[in-house]
Amino acid sequence: MLNSFSISKFLDETASNSPVPGGGSVSALAASLGAALASMVCRLTIGKNTNVNVQNELKSILIKSERLRAKFTALIDEDTNAFKKVIAASRLPKENSDQNAQRAAAIQEAYKEAAVVPLHLLESCAEAVELLKIVGEKGNKNSLSDAGVAILMLGAACEGAAMNVRINLAVITDVSFVEANKILTNSLQVSISNSAQQTLFRINERLFSY
Amino acid sequence: MLNSFSISKFLDETASNSPVPGGGSVSALAASLGAALASMVCRLTIGKNTNVNVQNELKSILIKSERLRAKFTALIDEDTNAFKKVIAASRLPKENSDQNAQRAAAIQEAYKEAAVVPLHLLESCAEAVELLKIVGEKGNKNSLSDAGVAILMLGAACEGAAMNVRINLAVITDVSFVEANKILTNSLQVSISNSAQQTLFRINERLFSY
């Protein structure tokens, strides 16, 4: 489990000449950091805001952001495992046409899984940025910059995930799979990016009153 | 040392109701992840590119990106420590006017340090995005999306750091310190953001030929 690695070790493993963990797992970690900061801002607001409605709203967001954090953290490993399956499939024997066909099919299946993992990351990022909209609006002003960094991490995770979906789709031959997931990826990327920018603007407005 | 924490523990500590580690340390971690990915792409290129000039160029970039990674990782702790000093200064006794003056001066000093830490992060991000320009251009095409995620992490780290400089500058009374660092922050943020966008565009161009 990569999340049991120390930060130092994870960084060393990332920097090494092994392709995993790579950008996919790093994107999932960035999203985990974003969700963790969202949870922190909720906790730092719940105890301090005297408005019971705000308290209850942020308590319910906290439950959701912790659930998303668990999903994001699981995706750190899922991305690395999906990439390992692509490598394993490409090492299958190719000594005759049967083996060639089996190997080609296994590679295609592995690439599909490698595309689906960052797509799940995108879907959960979309949920997380919706939560941040409320956290950015109602969160404790003293920890608002943390909500800002949360949005930045989720925004970067989304862009990284979209790139990772696309590089896998580029080698998948199942046209309907590719088309459906291209449309889904584009649509999620645009909506996450818009929502993140709006929330970041609002946070800066509350922080610096411009 | 926060980098000896497991990823799980770091995420739990971030998500907790303690303000540290917060957005500043998370931004430094994002930059560390960016530098680690840059190093990985260098290593995956050096062994495979047959052009000796490219090999030598990326060997020299690898040395620099590993040096920057160490700086970024140190800043994870420095940010948390700087914030703790602000808290410690605000808890100094304030029972008479002498103590009040000493406390006010200590708080100002602590805020200055808390502004300088993310400023150092910005300065190192500026160096890192320059390295990524070459990595994005000459890096192994198979790990180019990792260079893309590296840029995204550095871009998010830069925006987070700039926000953290500004929230500290907002409470510093030394006008010349504030003005000088505001100008420096704006200028670093704009140049990093432009450079990151150009490199990301170029990486997408190489990956997807559009």
Side-chain angles (χ1 to χ4, degrees):
Chain A
M1 295 278 286
L2 289 167
N3 65 8
S4 68
F5 282 21
S6 71
I7 287 177
S8 277
K9 189 179 174 192
F10 184 86
L11 289 167
D12 287 345
E13 291 289 320
T14 302
S16 78
N17 68 352
S18 154
V20 286
S25 291
V26 165
S27 299
L29 173 52
S32 311
L33 290 164
L37 286 171
S39 296
M40 181 183 93
V41 181
C42 287
R43 289 192 166 107
L44 288 171
T45 309
I46 290 165
K48 284 166 186 164
N49 193 306
T50 50
N51 182 323
V52 178
N53 290 338
V54 171
Q55 280 186 22
N56 288 338
E57 196 172 5
L58 289 194
K59 276 180 192 168
S60 125
I61 288 177
L62 175 58
I63 292 168
K64 291 175 189 161
S65 69
E66 287 293 84
R67 209 177 287 152
L68 285 169
R69 177 159 76 94
K71 271 196 197 175
F72 290 140
T73 308
L75 287 165
I76 301 172
D77 272 300
E78 285 173 32
D79 192 274
T80 287
N81 293 339
F83 189 85
K84 283 181 182 166
K85 283 187 193 168
V86 171
I87 302 294
S90 72
R91 286 179 183 157
L92 286 173
K94 43 180 179 175
E95 283 163 20
N96 56 49
S97 61
D98 269 7
Q99 284 185 349
N100 277 345
Q102 277 170 17
R103 178 176 171 272
I107 290 176
Q108 283 297 311
E109 269 319 297
Y111 273 126
K112 281 186 180 178
E113 192 179 326
V116 163
V117 171
L119 202 48
H120 286 162
L121 180 53
L122 272 177
E123 285 167 338
S124 295
C125 278
E127 290 180 53
V129 294
E130 287 312 301
L131 301 183
L132 256 306
K133 215 180 252 182
I134 303 163
V135 176
E137 195 58 48
K138 300 184 180 171
N140 185 337
K141 209 179 160 182
N142 291 334
S143 48
L144 211 49
S145 65
D146 302 300
V149 175
I151 275 287
L152 290 165
M153 291 301 128
L154 289 164
C158 154
E159 297 299 316
M163 192 181 271
N164 275 291
V165 177
R166 289 194 186 99
I167 56 167
N168 288 299
L169 291 183
V171 284
I172 293 172
T173 52
D174 177 346
V175 178
S176 63
F177 179 94
V178 170
E179 282 312 306
N181 287 307
K182 223 179 233 179
I183 290 166
L184 183 56
T185 302
N186 292 348
S187 135
L188 283 166
Q189 189 183 14
V190 168
S191 84
I192 292 166
S193 166
N194 284 346
S195 178
Q197 274 176 48
Q198 279 172 29
T199 301
L200 203 57
F201 183 85
R202 179 65 186 129
I203 286 172
N204 276 306
E205 199 173 43
R206 284 189 67 204
L207 275 176
F208 306 110
S209 311
Y210 69 80
Chain B
M1 296 279 285
L2 288 167
N3 65 7
S4 68
F5 283 20
S6 72
I7 287 178
S8 277
K9 189 180 174 191
F10 184 86
L11 289 168
D12 287 344
E13 291 289 319
T14 302
S16 78
N17 67 352
S18 154
V20 286
S25 290
V26 165
S27 299
L29 173 52
S32 310
L33 290 164
L37 285 171
S39 296
M40 179 184 95
V41 180
C42 287
R43 290 192 166 107
L44 289 171
T45 310
I46 291 165
K48 285 167 187 166
N49 193 305
T50 50
N51 182 323
V52 178
N53 291 337
V54 171
Q55 279 185 23
N56 288 338
E57 196 172 4
L58 290 193
K59 277 179 192 168
S60 124
I61 287 178
L62 175 59
I63 292 167
K64 292 175 189 163
S65 68
E66 288 293 84
R67 210 176 287 154
L68 285 169
R69 177 159 75 95
K71 273 197 196 176
F72 289 140
T73 308
L75 287 165
I76 300 173
D77 272 300
E78 284 173 33
D79 192 275
T80 287
N81 293 339
F83 189 85
K84 283 181 182 166
K85 283 187 192 167
V86 171
I87 302 294
S90 73
R91 287 180 183 156
L92 285 175
K94 43 178 178 175
E95 284 164 20
N96 55 51
S97 61
D98 269 9
Q99 284 185 349
N100 277 345
Q102 278 170 18
R103 178 175 171 272
I107 290 176
Q108 284 296 310
E109 270 318 298
Y111 274 126
K112 281 186 179 177
E113 192 179 327
V116 164
V117 171
L119 202 48
H120 286 162
L121 180 52
L122 272 177
E123 285 167 339
S124 294
C125 278
E127 290 180 53
V129 293
E130 287 313 300
L131 301 183
L132 256 304
K133 216 180 252 182
I134 303 162
V135 176
E137 195 59 47
K138 299 182 180 172
N140 185 337
K141 209 179 160 182
N142 291 334
S143 47
L144 210 49
S145 65
D146 301 300
V149 176
I151 275 286
L152 291 166
M153 291 301 128
L154 290 163
C158 153
E159 297 298 316
M163 191 181 271
N164 275 291
V165 177
R166 288 193 187 101
I167 56 167
N168 288 299
L169 291 182
V171 284
I172 293 171
T173 53
D174 177 344
V175 177
S176 63
F177 179 93
V178 171
E179 281 313 305
N181 287 307
K182 223 179 234 179
I183 291 165
L184 185 56
T185 302
N186 292 349
S187 134
L188 284 165
Q189 189 184 14
V190 168
S191 85
I192 293 165
S193 166
N194 284 345
S195 178
Q197 275 177 45
Q198 279 172 29
T199 301
L200 203 56
F201 183 85
R202 180 65 185 128
I203 286 173
N204 275 307
E205 199 172 44
R206 284 190 66 204
L207 274 175
F208 307 110
S209 311
Y210 68 78

